[in-house]
mmCIF file of all heavy atoms in Angstrom:
data_model
loop_
_atom_site.group_PDB
_atom_site.id
_atom_site.type_symbol
_atom_site.label_atom_id
_atom_site.label_comp_id
_atom_site.label_asym_id
_atom_site.label_seq_id
_atom_site.Cartn_x
_atom_site.Cartn_y
_atom_site.Cartn_z
ATOM 1 N N LYS A 22 -24.872 -3.165 -2.611
ATOM 2 C CA LYS A 22 -24.902 -2.390 -1.371
ATOM 3 C C LYS A 22 -26.127 -1.483 -1.376
ATOM 4 O O LYS A 22 -26.400 -0.793 -2.348
ATOM 5 C CB LYS A 22 -23.628 -1.567 -1.228
ATOM 6 C CG LYS A 22 -22.393 -2.406 -0.938
ATOM 7 C CD LYS A 22 -21.184 -1.521 -0.665
ATOM 8 C CE LYS A 22 -19.955 -2.364 -0.347
ATOM 9 N NZ LYS A 22 -18.768 -1.505 -0.069
ATOM 10 N N ALA A 23 -26.835 -1.503 -0.273
ATOM 11 C CA ALA A 23 -28.067 -0.711 -0.165
ATOM 12 C C ALA A 23 -27.756 0.772 0.005
ATOM 13 O O ALA A 23 -26.658 1.157 0.420
ATOM 14 C CB ALA A 23 -28.886 -1.199 1.030
ATOM 15 N N SER A 24 -28.731 1.590 -0.319
ATOM 16 C CA SER A 24 -28.651 3.023 -0.007
ATOM 17 C C SER A 24 -29.094 3.227 1.434
ATOM 18 O O SER A 24 -30.100 2.676 1.862
ATOM 19 C CB SER A 24 -29.564 3.825 -0.940
ATOM 20 O OG SER A 24 -29.730 5.139 -0.448
ATOM 21 N N ASN A 25 -28.341 4.029 2.170
ATOM 22 C CA ASN A 25 -28.714 4.285 3.565
ATOM 23 C C ASN A 25 -29.282 5.686 3.739
ATOM 24 O O ASN A 25 -29.165 6.273 4.813
ATOM 25 C CB ASN A 25 -27.522 4.069 4.488
ATOM 26 C CG ASN A 25 -27.918 3.259 5.713
ATOM 27 O OD1 ASN A 25 -29.106 3.105 6.006
ATOM 28 N ND2 ASN A 25 -26.943 2.745 6.432
ATOM 29 N N SER A 26 -29.905 6.204 2.695
ATOM 30 C CA SER A 26 -30.611 7.481 2.795
ATOM 31 C C SER A 26 -31.967 7.204 3.438
ATOM 32 O O SER A 26 -32.927 6.816 2.770
ATOM 33 C CB SER A 26 -30.785 8.100 1.404
ATOM 34 O OG SER A 26 -31.495 9.304 1.474
ATOM 35 N N VAL A 27 -32.034 7.394 4.752
ATOM 36 C CA VAL A 27 -33.180 6.914 5.526
ATOM 37 C C VAL A 27 -34.482 7.597 5.110
ATOM 38 O O VAL A 27 -35.492 6.934 4.833
ATOM 39 C CB VAL A 27 -32.933 7.098 7.042
ATOM 40 C CG1 VAL A 27 -34.160 6.647 7.840
ATOM 41 C CG2 VAL A 27 -31.708 6.305 7.474
ATOM 42 N N LEU A 28 -34.488 8.921 5.060
ATOM 43 C CA LEU A 28 -35.738 9.635 4.786
ATOM 44 C C LEU A 28 -36.222 9.400 3.362
ATOM 45 O O LEU A 28 -37.425 9.211 3.133
ATOM 46 C CB LEU A 28 -35.560 11.128 5.059
ATOM 47 C CG LEU A 28 -35.301 11.503 6.519
ATOM 48 C CD1 LEU A 28 -35.178 13.011 6.668
ATOM 49 C CD2 LEU A 28 -36.406 10.975 7.426
ATOM 50 N N ASP A 29 -35.297 9.392 2.395
ATOM 51 C CA ASP A 29 -35.699 9.076 1.023
ATOM 52 C C ASP A 29 -36.272 7.664 0.960
ATOM 53 O O ASP A 29 -37.262 7.410 0.275
ATOM 54 C CB ASP A 29 -34.503 9.189 0.073
ATOM 55 C CG ASP A 29 -34.115 10.631 -0.210
ATOM 56 O OD1 ASP A 29 -34.927 11.530 0.095
ATOM 57 O OD2 ASP A 29 -33.004 10.854 -0.718
ATOM 58 N N GLY A 30 -35.625 6.738 1.671
ATOM 59 C CA GLY A 30 -36.095 5.362 1.666
ATOM 60 C C GLY A 30 -37.466 5.217 2.301
ATOM 61 O O GLY A 30 -38.331 4.499 1.781
ATOM 62 N N ILE A 31 -37.691 5.890 3.416
ATOM 63 C CA ILE A 31 -39.004 5.841 4.074
ATOM 64 C C ILE A 31 -40.079 6.393 3.144
ATOM 65 O O ILE A 31 -41.160 5.813 3.010
ATOM 66 C CB ILE A 31 -38.968 6.620 5.404
ATOM 67 C CG1 ILE A 31 -38.173 5.825 6.457
ATOM 68 C CG2 ILE A 31 -40.381 6.899 5.916
ATOM 69 C CD1 ILE A 31 -37.956 6.581 7.749
ATOM 70 N N ARG A 32 -39.783 7.505 2.499
ATOM 71 C CA ARG A 32 -40.757 8.091 1.571
ATOM 72 C C ARG A 32 -41.068 7.126 0.421
ATOM 73 O O ARG A 32 -42.219 6.968 0.018
ATOM 74 C CB ARG A 32 -40.233 9.414 1.013
ATOM 75 C CG ARG A 32 -41.253 10.130 0.131
ATOM 76 C CD ARG A 32 -40.733 11.453 -0.387
ATOM 77 N NE ARG A 32 -39.688 11.262 -1.380
ATOM 78 C CZ ARG A 32 -38.474 11.772 -1.283
ATOM 79 N NH1 ARG A 32 -38.130 12.485 -0.237
ATOM 80 N NH2 ARG A 32 -37.591 11.573 -2.236
ATOM 81 N N ASN A 33 -40.030 6.448 -0.086
ATOM 82 C CA ASN A 33 -40.253 5.503 -1.181
ATOM 83 C C ASN A 33 -41.099 4.311 -0.743
ATOM 84 O O ASN A 33 -41.977 3.855 -1.484
ATOM 85 C CB ASN A 33 -38.911 5.012 -1.734
ATOM 86 C CG ASN A 33 -38.165 6.095 -2.478
ATOM 87 O OD1 ASN A 33 -38.747 7.090 -2.882
ATOM 88 N ND2 ASN A 33 -36.862 5.920 -2.640
ATOM 89 N N VAL A 34 -40.832 3.789 0.456
ATOM 90 C CA VAL A 34 -41.643 2.678 0.971
ATOM 91 C C VAL A 34 -43.093 3.127 1.141
ATOM 92 O O VAL A 34 -44.031 2.413 0.759
ATOM 93 C CB VAL A 34 -41.077 2.148 2.303
ATOM 94 C CG1 VAL A 34 -42.038 1.127 2.925
ATOM 95 C CG2 VAL A 34 -39.709 1.507 2.092
ATOM 96 N N ALA A 35 -43.288 4.310 1.712
ATOM 97 C CA ALA A 35 -44.647 4.824 1.908
ATOM 98 C C ALA A 35 -45.384 4.945 0.580
ATOM 99 O O ALA A 35 -46.570 4.595 0.475
ATOM 100 C CB ALA A 35 -44.594 6.185 2.601
ATOM 101 N N THR A 36 -44.683 5.408 -0.439
ATOM 102 C CA THR A 36 -45.297 5.547 -1.767
ATOM 103 C C THR A 36 -45.702 4.189 -2.320
ATOM 104 O O THR A 36 -46.805 4.025 -2.868
ATOM 105 C CB THR A 36 -44.322 6.237 -2.734
ATOM 106 O OG1 THR A 36 -44.050 7.560 -2.255
ATOM 107 C CG2 THR A 36 -44.912 6.330 -4.134
ATOM 108 N N ARG A 37 -44.843 3.185 -2.171
ATOM 109 C CA ARG A 37 -45.142 1.850 -2.713
ATOM 110 C C ARG A 37 -46.239 1.145 -1.926
ATOM 111 O O ARG A 37 -47.018 0.365 -2.492
ATOM 112 C CB ARG A 37 -43.866 0.998 -2.751
ATOM 113 C CG ARG A 37 -42.808 1.554 -3.681
ATOM 114 C CD ARG A 37 -43.320 1.711 -5.096
ATOM 115 N NE ARG A 37 -42.412 2.499 -5.939
ATOM 116 C CZ ARG A 37 -42.632 2.780 -7.208
ATOM 117 N NH1 ARG A 37 -43.753 2.362 -7.794
ATOM 118 N NH2 ARG A 37 -41.769 3.500 -7.894
ATOM 119 N N LEU A 38 -46.315 1.398 -0.637
ATOM 120 C CA LEU A 38 -47.437 0.875 0.147
ATOM 121 C C LEU A 38 -48.739 1.522 -0.313
ATOM 122 O O LEU A 38 -49.752 0.840 -0.522
ATOM 123 C CB LEU A 38 -47.226 1.158 1.642
ATOM 124 C CG LEU A 38 -46.166 0.340 2.370
ATOM 125 C CD1 LEU A 38 -45.896 0.942 3.748
ATOM 126 C CD2 LEU A 38 -46.587 -1.123 2.508
ATOM 127 N N GLN A 39 -48.701 2.830 -0.481
ATOM 128 C CA GLN A 39 -49.897 3.570 -0.863
ATOM 129 C C GLN A 39 -50.390 3.153 -2.250
ATOM 130 O O GLN A 39 -51.596 3.059 -2.492
ATOM 131 C CB GLN A 39 -49.597 5.071 -0.844
ATOM 132 C CG GLN A 39 -50.803 5.972 -1.008
ATOM 133 C CD GLN A 39 -51.642 6.085 0.250
ATOM 134 O OE1 GLN A 39 -51.207 5.683 1.319
ATOM 135 N NE2 GLN A 39 -52.852 6.607 0.115
ATOM 136 N N SER A 40 -49.452 2.886 -3.162
ATOM 137 C CA SER A 40 -49.826 2.549 -4.542
ATOM 138 C C SER A 40 -50.086 1.057 -4.743
ATOM 139 O O SER A 40 -50.466 0.638 -5.833
ATOM 140 C CB SER A 40 -48.734 3.016 -5.510
ATOM 141 O OG SER A 40 -47.495 2.416 -5.200
ATOM 142 N N GLY A 41 -49.894 0.250 -3.689
ATOM 143 C CA GLY A 41 -50.183 -1.181 -3.791
ATOM 144 C C GLY A 41 -49.184 -1.950 -4.621
ATOM 145 O O GLY A 41 -49.540 -2.880 -5.354
ATOM 146 N N ASP A 42 -47.895 -1.586 -4.498
ATOM 147 C CA ASP A 42 -46.844 -2.266 -5.259
ATOM 148 C C ASP A 42 -46.116 -3.328 -4.452
ATOM 149 O O ASP A 42 -45.383 -4.130 -5.027
ATOM 150 C CB ASP A 42 -45.826 -1.235 -5.768
ATOM 151 C CG ASP A 42 -46.389 -0.356 -6.863
ATOM 152 O OD1 ASP A 42 -47.133 -0.874 -7.709
ATOM 153 O OD2 ASP A 42 -46.097 0.857 -6.866
ATOM 154 N N ILE A 43 -46.246 -3.308 -3.116
ATOM 155 C CA ILE A 43 -45.560 -4.298 -2.280
ATOM 156 C C ILE A 43 -46.549 -4.918 -1.291
ATOM 157 O O ILE A 43 -47.427 -4.233 -0.760
ATOM 158 C CB ILE A 43 -44.363 -3.691 -1.520
ATOM 159 C CG1 ILE A 43 -44.774 -2.464 -0.707
ATOM 160 C CG2 ILE A 43 -43.233 -3.343 -2.484
ATOM 161 C CD1 ILE A 43 -43.659 -1.912 0.178
ATOM 162 N N PHE A 44 -46.362 -6.237 -1.078
ATOM 163 C CA PHE A 44 -47.229 -6.989 -0.175
ATOM 164 C C PHE A 44 -46.375 -7.921 0.684
ATOM 165 O O PHE A 44 -45.200 -8.178 0.376
ATOM 166 C CB PHE A 44 -48.263 -7.798 -0.976
ATOM 167 C CG PHE A 44 -49.218 -6.931 -1.753
ATOM 168 C CD1 PHE A 44 -48.923 -6.546 -3.060
ATOM 169 C CD2 PHE A 44 -50.401 -6.497 -1.189
ATOM 170 C CE1 PHE A 44 -49.786 -5.731 -3.778
ATOM 171 C CE2 PHE A 44 -51.268 -5.683 -1.892
ATOM 172 C CZ PHE A 44 -50.965 -5.306 -3.195
ATOM 173 N N PHE A 45 -46.988 -8.453 1.744
ATOM 174 C CA PHE A 45 -46.245 -9.230 2.729
ATOM 175 C C PHE A 45 -47.009 -10.512 3.046
ATOM 176 O O PHE A 45 -48.161 -10.454 3.509
ATOM 177 C CB PHE A 45 -46.027 -8.395 3.991
ATOM 178 C CG PHE A 45 -45.308 -7.101 3.696
ATOM 179 C CD1 PHE A 45 -46.019 -5.988 3.245
ATOM 180 C CD2 PHE A 45 -43.939 -7.016 3.822
ATOM 181 C CE1 PHE A 45 -45.361 -4.806 2.930
ATOM 182 C CE2 PHE A 45 -43.274 -5.835 3.507
ATOM 183 C CZ PHE A 45 -43.983 -4.735 3.050
#
């Protein structure tokens, strides 16, 4: 089951985009 902490999740995605850890 996913975490639905929206703001924490957005911050984590932003960090991983910035650090080049996730690609599409």
Side-chain angles (χ1 to χ4, degrees):
K22 289 186 179 180
S24 166
N25 225 345
S26 178
V27 178
L28 294 182
D29 286 345
I31 287 174
R32 185 179 71 237
N33 290 341
V34 172
T36 297
R37 296 303 168 180
L38 287 168
Q39 189 77 13
S40 59
D42 289 321
I43 54 174
F44 296 90
F45 303 83

